[in-house]
C-alpha cells in the first residue's frame, strides 16, 4: 500500500472512532488489522493500531480487507457513520493501489507485477530451494499463458509444501509433530498465540479452504458445475500474489524458528 493511501485510511479511522467510545473503537479496528488482546490505555491503543496498520500495509489486499470489514462491522450502529465503498475506492484509485472493492469481492484492476520473493531461502537445502523456485516460475508462466486456475493450483501446492517444512521444528518447549497442511497450521497457531504468524495462518487457511472448495476456487476438489465459479485472469493474479506473500513470510518465520529465535 502506498504510504499516502495508508495515511488517508488512517484519517478515516480517526473520524470514525471520534464518534463513539474512542478507546473501544480503536481496539475494534486493531482486531481487524491482526492484533490480539487489548492495549493498556487509549494512547497505546492508537499507537498499536498504527503499528499493525503499517505491518498489514505490506500486503495491499489484506490491508483493504481489514479496513473494509472493520467499517462494515460498525455499519448500522446508532450514531456511527462509516465511509462507504465509493470513498474507499476513490482512495485506492487516486493512489494507484491496483484494487477495487466490489462487495463481496476485492478485484484486481490493471496489470500487476508478481510480488517479489527471495531467490534463496536461508533455512532450505538445495533440493528444497529448487522446488520452491520451479513452482514459483511455473505459476508465473501459467498466468502469462492465460491459465489462471492452473497457476493458482500450482502456487497453492507450493504453499502447502512450505507449511509442511515446519514439521520437526521447535516451537517453545515442544516441536511441531503433525504431518499435513491443515494439522500443521492448526498446531502452529496454537503454539504461536498472540504472534503475527497466528493471524497469518488464520488468513492462509481461510484462503486455502475457499480455493479448495467446489463452490470457491475449485482448484483442489473440482468445481461445482452448477453453482461454482471459474477463476479469471485478475483473480488468478490476486490469489497468486497473496500466496506468494504468505510463502515469503512463512519462509522468513521458518528461518527464525530453525535458528531458535
Amino acid at each position: 500500500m502506498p504510504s499516502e493511501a495508508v495515511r488517508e485510511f488512517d484519517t478515516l479511522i480517526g473520524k470514525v472512532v471520534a464518534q463513539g467510545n474512542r478507546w473501544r473503537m480503536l481496539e475494534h479496528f486493531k482486531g481487524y488489522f491482526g492484533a490480539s488482546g487489548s492495549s493498556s490505555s487509549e494512547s497505546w491503543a492508537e499507537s498499536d493500531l498504527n503499528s499493525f496498520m503499517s505491518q498489514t500495509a505490506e500486503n495491499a489486499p489484506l490491508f483493504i480487507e481489514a479496513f473494509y470489514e472493520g467499517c462494515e462491522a460498525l455499519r448500522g450502529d446508532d450514531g456511527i457513520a462509516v465511509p462507504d465503498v465509493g470513498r474507499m475506492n476513490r482512495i485506492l484509485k487516486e493512489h494507484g493501489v491496483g484494487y477495487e472493492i466490489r462487495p463481496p469481492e476485492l478485484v484486481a484492476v490493471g496489470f500487476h507485477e508478481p510480488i517479489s520473493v527471495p531467490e534463496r531461502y536461508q533455512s532450505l537445502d538445495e533440493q528444497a530451494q529448487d522446488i520452491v523456485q520451479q513452482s514459483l516460475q511455473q505459476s508465473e508462466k501459467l498466468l502469462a499463458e492465460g491459465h489462471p486456475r492452473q497457476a493458482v493450483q500450482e502456487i497453492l501446492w507450493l504453499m502447502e509444501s512450505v507449511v509442511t517444512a515446519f514439521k520437526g521444528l521447535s516451537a517453545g518447549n515442544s516441536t511441531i509433530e503433525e504431518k499435513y497442511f491443515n494439522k500443521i497450521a492448526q498446531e502452529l497457531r496454537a503454539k504461536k498465540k498472540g504472534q503475527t504468524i497466528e493471524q497469518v495462518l488464520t488468513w492462509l487457511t481461510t484462503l486455502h479452504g475457499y480455493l479448495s472448495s467446489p463452490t470457491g476456487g475449485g482448484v483442489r476438489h473440482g468445481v461445482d458445475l452448477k453453482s461454482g465459479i471459474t477463476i479469471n485472469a485478475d483473480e488468478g493474479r490476486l490469489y497468486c500474489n497473496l500466496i506468494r506473500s504468505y510463502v515469503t513470510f512463512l519462509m522468513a518465520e521458518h528461518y527464525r524458528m530453525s535458528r531458535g529465535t
Side-chain angles (χ1 to χ4, degrees), residues 130-139 154-155 157-158:
D130 289 342
I131 290 172
V132 170
Q133 293 304 324
Q134 288 172 12
S135 184
L136 287 170
Q137 291 166 14
Q138 178 66 9
S139 175
E154 175 67 28
I155 204 166
W157 172 86
L158 173 62

Side-chain angles (χ1 to χ4, degrees), residues 92-111:
L92 298 176
K93 184 176 181 179
E94 287 168 4
H95 297 287
V97 178
Y99 294 94
E100 183 175 299
I101 304 168
R102 300 176 189 170
E105 298 177 345
L106 177 64
V107 179
V109 291
F111 180 76

Side-chain angles (χ1 to χ4, degrees), residues 171-191:
N173 298 323
S174 59
T175 58
I176 304 299
E177 299 179 352
E178 296 290 350
K179 298 179 180 180
Y180 301 105
F181 167 79
N182 282 323
K183 291 295 185 179
I184 291 175
Q186 182 178 359
E187 187 177 2
L188 270 171
R189 288 201 307 270
K191 292 178 178 178

Side-chain angles (χ1 to χ4, degrees), residues 79 82 123 168 195 203:
V82 296
S123 58
Q195 300 183 34
W203 293 329

